[in-house]
Amino acid sequence: MNYNIAVVPGDGIGPEVVGEAIRVLNAVGKKYGHTFNYNTVLAGGAAIDEYGECLPASTVQACKESDAVLLGAVGGPKWDHVPGDQRPERALLGLRKALGLYANLRPAMIFEELADASPLKPSILDGGLDILIVRELTGGIYFGDHVTETDDNGTVTAYDIERYSDYEIQRIARTAFEMASKRQGRVTSVDKANVLDSSRLWRKTVADMSSEYDNITLDNMYVDNASMQLIRDPKHFDVIVTSNMFGDILSDEASQITGSIGMLPSASLADGNFGMYEPVHGSAPDIAGTNQANPIATILSVAMMLRYTFNLGTEADAIENAVKQFLRDGYRTGDIATSGEAVCGTVETGEKIASYIA
Ligand code: IPM
Ligand code: MG
């Protein structure tokens, strides 16, 4: 089969980690007889430099015409002076909206070989950790009105609107229930229903939806409590479903609990099979161009692409097993190395993982 992938390398370490993910994808293609075609386009700081805007229409068009999008990371200090609504990060929000990517899957799991990396006590993590955060990605406060205004007395006021409609909550709840039914069957819906109307609608809508899923246990948690329980008792969680902003915050917290944010992939899905795949980490401008970045999060992101967009489960497993083999053989990138392990650069890591697939 032929698959067309739009590639947005982005800024900082983005191009380096994307390059290794493509190397691994090509190894998969060779082994299993698929052809992956890549159409590289610009977004973020790279697009500001080239076209004067962070998300050119041609980039959106190329992504829409593709079967899936692979993205590195955007942003960096070079564009700190750019006004808020034109910053590289806006390209991400723009792509999510334009492509209808409302369901963001962010797994936070601990690799057996890296159990020591977590900042939490072994007694709390006993037996590992495997949480899936399902974050709503195209609604809520990030996409509500943003207003800054000055009144006649010179007082400046700014506000942002958190807004959810029932259909937006229904479709993300459905994603969470479907995901949970392939896992441990538990969904925790996180909101702030003791204060916010939008959260009360969220809670009611998720509860209504749950009646369609007999096999799922649903519980609700306020976001402040959830942020505490993630540290106190992370094993409570199987699937967490939550709004755009709460998901943004909790997914950073959850990723840090695993101790290795350089290992975590993500998928942003639209209705149907279309999706955009990117590592959870950012553009790490401090180490860009030094061959030190960990490409594994991006490599695991293409495994998610194979699984969710192309329905190639065996091929996705092959990538995940190759990553585990790399770790089992004692190789590490700098960010996850403790003492006595062979530290590999970005390129060497990609080459080794690709060779395990071959
Ligand atoms: C993320 C990031 C983005 C977000 C930023 C860069 C706009 O933090 O993907 O979590 O807030 O969604
Ligand atoms: Mg974030």
Side-chain angles (χ1 to χ4, degrees), residues 37-203:
N37 305 311
Y38 307 101
N39 182 11
T40 301
V41 289
L42 298 184
I48 295 176
D49 290 351
E50 180 77 19
Y51 305 109
E53 53 177 328
C54 66
L55 186 59
S58 56
T59 293
V60 175
Q61 191 55 30
C63 291
K64 280 187 177 163
E65 283 164 7
S66 70
D67 299 320
V69 181
L70 172 62
L71 186 135
V74 296
K78 185 175 174 196
W79 303 282
D80 273 350
H81 65 280
V82 174
D85 59 343
Q86 295 157 40
R87 287 178 64 91
E89 290 81 0
R90 296 300 299 186
L92 267 184
L93 298 180
L95 273 174
R96 291 168 182 169
K97 196 68 170 182
L99 302 174
L101 306 169
Y102 64 84
N104 183 210
L105 310 184
R106 297 193 166 179
M109 65 256 179
I110 288 187
F111 292 80
E112 219 180 292
E113 292 77 9
L114 303 179
D116 294 347
S118 171
L120 296 187
K121 285 191 209 124
S123 59
I124 294 180
L125 290 171
D126 183 32
L129 183 72
D130 182 0
I131 300 174
L132 178 64
I133 296 190
V134 177
R135 168 188 176 194
E136 199 290 324
L137 202 59
T138 53
I141 196 164
Y142 291 11
F143 289 94
D145 288 348
H146 307 293
V147 177
T148 303
E149 57 194 18
T150 308
D151 71 9
D152 296 343
N153 301 322
T155 303
V156 186
T157 304
Y159 57 88
D160 306 273
I161 306 274
E162 170 84 347
R163 184 193 175 106
Y164 271 110
S165 297
D166 49 8
Y167 75 92
E168 294 174 288
I169 305 168
Q170 283 158 0
R171 64 187 182 183
I172 194 73
R174 191 171 294 289
T175 304
F177 291 134
E178 295 292 340
M179 290 291 152
S181 61
K182 293 178 207 133
R183 297 167 49 97
Q184 296 172 49
R186 292 184 289 117
V187 173
T188 304
S189 175
V190 172
D191 61 40
K192 189 69 185 172
N194 49 349
V195 179
L196 304 176
D197 264 37
S198 52
S199 279
R200 285 188 272 272
L201 179 65
W202 182 281
R203 189 174 283 219

Side-chain angles (χ1 to χ4, degrees), residues 173-338:
R174 191 171 294 289
T175 304
F177 291 134
E178 295 292 340
M179 290 291 152
S181 61
K182 293 178 207 133
R183 297 167 49 97
Q184 296 172 49
R186 292 184 289 117
V187 173
T188 304
S189 175
V190 172
D191 61 40
K192 189 69 185 172
N194 49 349
V195 179
L196 304 176
D197 264 37
S198 52
S199 279
R200 285 188 272 272
L201 179 65
W202 182 281
R203 189 174 283 219
K204 179 183 178 303
T205 308
V206 174
D208 288 350
M209 294 282 304
S210 72
S211 61
E212 290 177 33
Y213 294 86
D214 294 341
N215 53 339
I216 301 292
T217 339
L218 169 67
D219 70 332
N220 297 287
M221 233 183 238
Y222 298 137
V223 62
D224 44 355
N225 184 30
S227 74
M228 179 174 75
Q229 298 305 334
L230 267 172
I231 297 177
R232 198 188 73 88
D233 182 21
K235 286 180 169 302
H236 172 84
F237 301 100
D238 176 21
V239 173
I240 293 175
V241 63
T242 191
S243 63
N244 202 341
M245 180 161 68
F246 295 160
D248 185 21
I249 298 167
L250 293 180
S251 62
D252 265 33
E253 185 186 2
S255 69
Q256 195 51 54
I257 291 171
T258 72
S260 47
I261 191 169
M263 303 289 293
L264 300 179
S266 79
S268 303
L269 306 177
D271 273 329
N273 290 333
F274 187 81
M276 180 164 91
Y277 298 84
E278 59 180 305
V280 165
H281 62 70
S283 61
D286 51 320
I287 58 164
T290 63
N291 192 38
Q292 289 179 77
N294 182 352
I296 295 180
T298 316
I299 290 170
L300 291 172
S301 298
V302 299
M304 290 185 94
M305 178 190 291
L306 295 176
R307 180 167 289 121
Y308 293 118
T309 292
F310 301 147
N311 274 313
L312 299 173
T314 309
E315 288 83 340
D317 288 345
I319 293 183
E320 286 162 1
N321 289 332
V323 168
K324 286 182 193 149
Q325 191 62 47
F326 173 86
L327 297 173
R328 234 177 277 131
D329 287 351
Y331 298 116
R332 299 286 186 271
T333 46
D335 57 318
I336 51 172
T338 43

